[in-house]
Every structure is written in structure tokens, then in C-alpha cells.
């Protein structure tokens, strides 16, 4: 049996950032265990959009802290993570004006560069689009996206340089617990065990299964959203931007390969996946057709967009569309970070720093443990959001 000061389960964006910050904060020997390969879960297929439009101070602060980290990453660490500052536009109906204004005021108070636009200003920003007279929007200039695979590879490399033992092909089958004394380590699929008093479950869609094996019932559900990819027709206009459009119910973004990724804002119609190891990774014709029909209402030139298919992926959702991050009550030494409900990638740096600080006692940036408390539903402290789309946060 080997030993570690802290074990992190999961080589997605959350596990990688948590392991990196644990090492940075002097946690000692940190081992990260990934059962397949880095990014094998939700993170590898993420749109990795970095935006700051949220309904709460904590989430605006965390998305901003993380955006600035991603933006400075290449200069700071000399590795390209594909950061693109395209700007991000939110559009909604004038009926949502109070929600939009409230979020924008919150953002401005926290240093976000954002403007509210009417339908004429929206047309100036995206002349290829057709906007309803009662459409309004909020445009964040500094927002954009990263290349998720490049970002994870770079963070893993940084972690290794700081001494994190990153192991791929290492599946945890059991978290070992010794009664009230709490966590004692993990058992791997090959029969090996690693002793540790600290275990972080950052297992994404699999995190709930690991908890249930310990008799802990957490409200985590894996669902299967689909994504469509189109070749953007060549129509004169400014650089493409990232858009979240409550009027068409879609979001879209330039992909690294030059495509446009299109997905739905709402996930309540997505299928529940009981076994994240076995789900249909393909995309349906019906989804591609629906995305094309809807995006054409906003961007008419997409009527001629060539379809490049798409893919299905997994979100891990909670009842209030916000993650469960922190200590698991009743099992000292066990921590959870899952349930990012389709909008976690942008928060990775702040989550990793905050969760590691909760463990080491260091300074934890903008993360607020009470906001994300694992047991908040039992105490009537579910998070509410300004819009009906929980994924917006
Ligand atoms: C299609 C799609 C688009 C998205 N777009 C955006 C976006 O634009 N912006 C944004 O902010 N967020 C977005 N998200 C959400 C974001 O990607 C997720 O919130 C984030 O990636 C979750 O990361 P994670 O580390 O918690 O989980 P995961 O990436 O799923 O990582 C969990 C890892 O744990 C491993 N694992 C599980 N069980 C075990 C075990 N027993 N032993 C060892 N390893 C184990 C898995 O193999 C996996 O690699 C999107 C998600 C999807 C699916």
C-alpha cells in the first residue's frame, strides 16, 4: 500500500485544478487518479465558454477570477490553451429586462466590462443577425472561450511540475472509510490501495455513484445534452462572437476547428443517463434539424450552413443547477466537487483554488463554501436564479 496526503478522483477540469492548487498550497503528496484519460468525462467535450453573466455575487466573482486566470495563462506559464476573447452576447425579450439589468448592475459593481444593448445596437454588433424590435442584450467584451483539451493538458503539466502524481487508467472502485474516523484512502480496480486522510471526489457524472457506494445520497443526475456543428457560411461581417439567446433558446460559439457549435439553453428535455459508462455519443437528425431551424430565426444565412454532425455528452445536474462543492457531512476527510450543471468549465480555476483552500486552510479566492454546500437542500438553501433557465446560473 502506498500513501498520499491528498487523493483527487477524476481527471476533468475540476480534479486537475483542485490537484494543482492542493500542491501549490502545500498539501504535501497529491495523487490524481483518472480512470480513463484526462478529459474523458464532460470536460473533454465542453464548449468551454467563459462568460460572467450570473445572478449572484459569488458566481460573478468566481467566473471573473477564472476568466482572468485563463486569459493570463499563456503569458504566465508559456503554454497555449487556445484562449479566444470573442466577446459574449446574451439576448432576451424586453420582458426579462429586470433580470438582465439586475445581473448587469451586479457585474459592473464587480468590474465586468458589460453593456446593455437595444435591438439597433444588437444589429450593429452582429449585422448578419435579424433581431426582434423588443430584443435586448448584454455584451461582455472580455469573455470568450478556451480549447478544453489544451487547457487540461496544460494544467496537468503544471500540476506534474509541482509534484502532483497524475495517473491515467487508474479507476477508484472504493473510497475506504473507517467509521467515525473518516476517510482512510481508496482502492483501485487493479486491487492496489492508496492510504490518505483526504479524498476529493471530482468524478463528474460518476461522482454520485461513488457517493452512493458509501451510503451517501447526493442529488446528482447525469443527463445527455446534444450538440450540433455547422460550417459557418461565408457572409461578410465582423468576427463571430459567442451568443446565448433566450429568444431562440440556443447558444452558439465558434469552435476551434472553425465550425459553429450549437446547443440548447434548456436541458429539461434531455435524457437521464443511468450508466455514464454507456450512453449514445451520437447526435440525432432531429436535433440537427431543430438547431438549424431555430438559429435561422436569428442568423438567416445559416439556412445554407453545411451540417458537420454533432455529438452527445454528459451534464451532471443538481436540483438548483449549481454545483455541490465541499466537505461531505458524516465522513471526515471526504470532499465532493460535482453537479456543475452544464456551466462548470469557466469556474475551474476558482473552484480548484477554493476547494483546495477549504482542505489546507489557505486563502481561497472568491469561492464561497456556504453557497455551494453539499447539504444545502436539506437546509432549505437552494440557489435561485434570475431567469427560468437554470443553466445560466
Ligand atoms: C457538451 C458540453 C458543453 C459544455 N459547455 C460549457 C461551456 O461552454 N462553459 C462552461 O463553463 N461549461 C460547459 N460545460 C460544463 C463543463 O464542461 C463541466 O461542468 C465540467 O467539465 C465538469 O468537469 P468535472 O471535472 O466536474 O467532470 P468531468 O470532466 O466529467 O471529469 C470527471 C472525471 O472523473 C473520472 N472518473 C469518474 N469516476 C472515476 C473513478 N471512479 N476513478 C477514477 N476516475 C474517475 C472520469 O473519467 C472523468 O474524466 C459543458 C459541458 C458539456 C458536456
Amino acid at each position: 500500500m502506498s500513501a498520499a496526503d491528498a487523493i483527487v478522483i477524476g481527471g476533468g477540469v475540476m480534479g486537475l485544478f483542485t490537484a494543482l492548487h492542493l500542491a501549490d498550497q502545500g498539501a504535501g503528496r497529491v495523487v490524481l487518479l483518472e480512470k480513463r484519460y484526462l478529459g474523458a468525462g464532460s470536460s473533454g467535450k465542453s464548449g468551454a465558454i467563459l462568460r460572467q453573466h450570473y445572478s449572484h455575487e459569488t458566481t460573478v466573482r468566481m467566473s471573473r477570477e477564472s476568466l482572468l486566470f485563463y486569459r493570463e495563462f499563456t503569458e504566465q506559464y508559456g503554454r497555449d490553451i487556445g484562449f479566444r476573447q470573442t466577446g459574449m452576447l446574451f439576448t432576451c425579450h424586453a420582458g426579462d429586462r429586470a433580470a438582465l439589468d439586475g445581473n448587469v448592475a451586479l457585474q459592473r459593481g464587480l468590474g465586468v466590462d458589460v453593456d446593455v444593448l437595444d435591438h439597433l445596437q444588437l444589429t450593429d454588433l452582429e449585422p448578419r443577425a435579424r433581431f426582434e424590435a423588443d430584443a435586448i442584450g448584454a455584451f461582455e467584451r472580455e469573455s470568450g472561450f478556451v480549447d478544453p483539451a489544451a487547457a487540461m493538458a496544460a494544467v496537468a503539466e503544471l500540476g506534474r511540475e509541482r509534484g502532483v502524481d497524475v495517473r491515467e487508467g487508474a479507476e477508484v472502485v472504493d473510497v475506504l472509510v473507517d467509521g467515525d474516523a473518516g476517510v482512510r484512502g481508496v482502492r483501485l480496480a487493479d486491487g492496489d490501495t492508496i492510504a490518505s486522510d483526504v479524498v476529493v471526489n471530482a468524478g463528474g457524472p460518476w461522482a454520485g455513484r461513488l457517493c452512493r457506494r458509501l451510503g451517501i445520497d447526493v442529488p446528482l443526475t447525469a443527463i445527455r445534452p446534444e450538440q450540433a456543428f455547422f460550417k459557418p457560411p461565408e457572409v461578410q461581417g465582423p468576427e463571430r462572437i459567442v451568443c446565448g439567446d433566450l429568444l431562440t433558446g440556443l447558444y452558439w460559439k465558434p469552435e476551434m476547428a472553425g465550425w459553429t457549435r450549437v446547443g440548447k439553453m434548456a436541458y429539461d428535455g434531455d435524457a437521464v443517463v443511468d450508466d455514464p459508462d454507456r450512453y449514445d455519443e451520437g447526435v440525432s437528425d432531429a436535433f440537427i434539424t431543430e438547431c438549424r431551424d431555430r438559429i435561422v430565426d436569428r442568423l438567416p444565412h445559416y439556412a445554407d450552413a453545411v451540417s458537420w454532425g454533432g455529438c452527445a455528452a454528459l451534464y451532471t445536474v443538481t436540483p438548483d443547477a449549481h454545483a455541490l462543492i465541499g466537505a461531505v457531512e458524516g465522513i471526515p476527510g471526504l470532499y465532493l466537487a460535482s453537479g456543475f450543471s452544464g456551466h462548470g468549465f469557466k469556474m475551474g480555476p476558482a473552484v480548484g483554488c477554493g476547494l483546495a483552500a477549504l482542505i489546507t486552510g489557505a486563502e481561497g479566492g472568491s469561492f464561497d463554501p456556504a453557497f455551494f454546500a453539499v447539504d444545502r437542500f436539506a437546509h432549505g438553501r437552494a440557489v435561485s436564479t434570475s431567469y427560468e433557465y437554470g443553466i445560466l446560473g
Side-chain angles (χ1 to χ4, degrees):
M1 184 200 279
S2 56
D5 294 297
I7 294 171
V8 178
I9 305 171
V13 67
M14 299 307 165
L16 288 164
F17 272 114
T18 304
L20 172 66
H21 283 285
L22 281 169
D24 266 350
Q25 293 173 19
R29 180 157 186 254
V30 180
V31 179
L32 182 142
L33 301 168
E34 163 53 48
K35 68 181 189 151
R36 295 183 67 203
Y37 52 88
L38 303 181
S42 305
S43 302
K45 292 182 178 176
S46 185
I49 296 169
L50 315 175
R51 47 102 180 171
Q52 306 164 84
H53 195 97
Y54 273 97
S55 309
H56 294 275
E57 182 170 333
T58 296
T59 37
V60 175
R61 280 189 192 281
M62 288 175 70
S63 58
R64 181 151 186 80
E65 178 187 328
S66 299
L67 170 72
L68 299 181
F69 179 87
Y70 282 124
R71 190 178 75 182
E72 306 307 326
F73 193 94
T74 301
E75 198 173 316
Q76 182 91 17
Y77 301 108
R79 294 178 174 86
D80 183 14
I81 59 168
F83 175 77
R84 291 261 308 276
Q85 185 176 314
T86 55
M88 160 110 199
L89 174 66
F90 263 110
T91 46
C92 63
H93 187 266
D96 276 322
R97 174 116 219 176
L100 187 89
D101 283 347
N103 285 5
V104 166
L106 181 66
Q107 288 183 294
R108 284 187 178 146
L110 297 170
V112 178
D113 182 3
V114 55
D115 283 326
V116 175
L117 309 179
D118 65 20
H119 83 282
L120 294 175
Q121 293 165 311
L122 289 171
T123 308
D124 284 343
L125 181 70
E126 178 42 288
R128 289 160 294 215
R130 184 169 56 196
F131 290 101
E132 300 82 344
D134 57 0
I136 54 171
F139 184 61
E140 303 172 4
R141 265 168 219 84
E142 299 165 293
S143 297
F145 57 90
V146 289
D147 175 342
M152 281 183 289
V155 175
E157 215 34 55
L158 271 190
R160 287 191 181 101
E161 284 169 14
R162 285 157 173 70
V164 178
D165 179 1
V166 179
R167 299 191 200 169
E168 297 177 77
E171 180 177 9
V172 172
V173 287
D174 275 316
V175 176
L176 307 173
V177 175
D178 179 10
D180 291 345
V183 158
R184 284 294 169 260
V186 297
R187 179 176 296 110
L188 301 175
D190 65 6
D192 197 8
T193 56
I194 307 174
S196 184
D197 295 342
V198 173
V199 172
V200 177
N201 176 359
W206 294 265
R209 194 157 79 182
L210 271 175
C211 286
R212 283 186 283 278
R213 283 175 75 88
L214 293 170
I216 306 157
D217 192 21
V218 283
L220 293 172
T221 307
I223 60 166
R224 180 188 167 278
E226 291 177 293
Q227 321 278 294
F229 298 114
F230 295 98
K231 181 179 187 322
E234 281 176 26
V235 171
Q236 282 241 311
E239 284 292 304
R240 286 177 296 150
I241 56 179
V242 177
C243 291
D245 186 356
L246 298 195
L247 292 138
T248 59
L250 299 178
Y251 72 84
W252 57 90
K253 68 168 285 256
E255 268 307 316
M256 304 306 292
W259 313 345
T260 298
R261 173 195 290 245
V262 184
K264 283 190 190 168
M265 301 288 284
Y267 57 61
D268 41 358
D270 293 338
V272 170
V273 173
D274 293 326
D275 181 359
D277 287 315
R278 282 175 200 79
Y279 71 98
D280 176 1
E281 295 194 63
V283 67
S284 62
D285 290 347
F287 183 80
I288 295 172
T289 303
E290 188 182 351
C291 285
R292 190 202 300 278
D293 288 350
R294 287 207 214 173
I295 200 171
V296 161
D297 285 344
R298 181 68 64 230
L299 298 170
H301 59 295
Y302 272 70
D304 300 326
V306 174
S307 162
W308 279 349
C311 69
L314 296 174
Y315 289 165
T316 315
V317 300
T318 69
D320 64 4
H322 284 70
L324 309 179
I325 311 170
V328 176
E329 207 185 344
I331 306 191
L334 181 62
Y335 297 84
L336 177 65
S338 182
F340 289 88
S341 302
H343 56 105
F345 205 99
K346 72 180 66 57
M347 301 281 192
V351 170
C353 177
L355 180 53
L358 202 61
I359 296 167
T360 63
E363 161 55 37
S366 51
F367 171 70
D368 173 3
F371 186 89
F372 293 102
V374 174
D375 61 356
R376 67 179 177 274
F377 300 105
H379 298 102
R381 285 192 282 107
V383 177
S384 60
T385 57
S386 303
Y387 305 95
E388 68 172 287
Y389 293 97
I391 194 172
L392 279 180

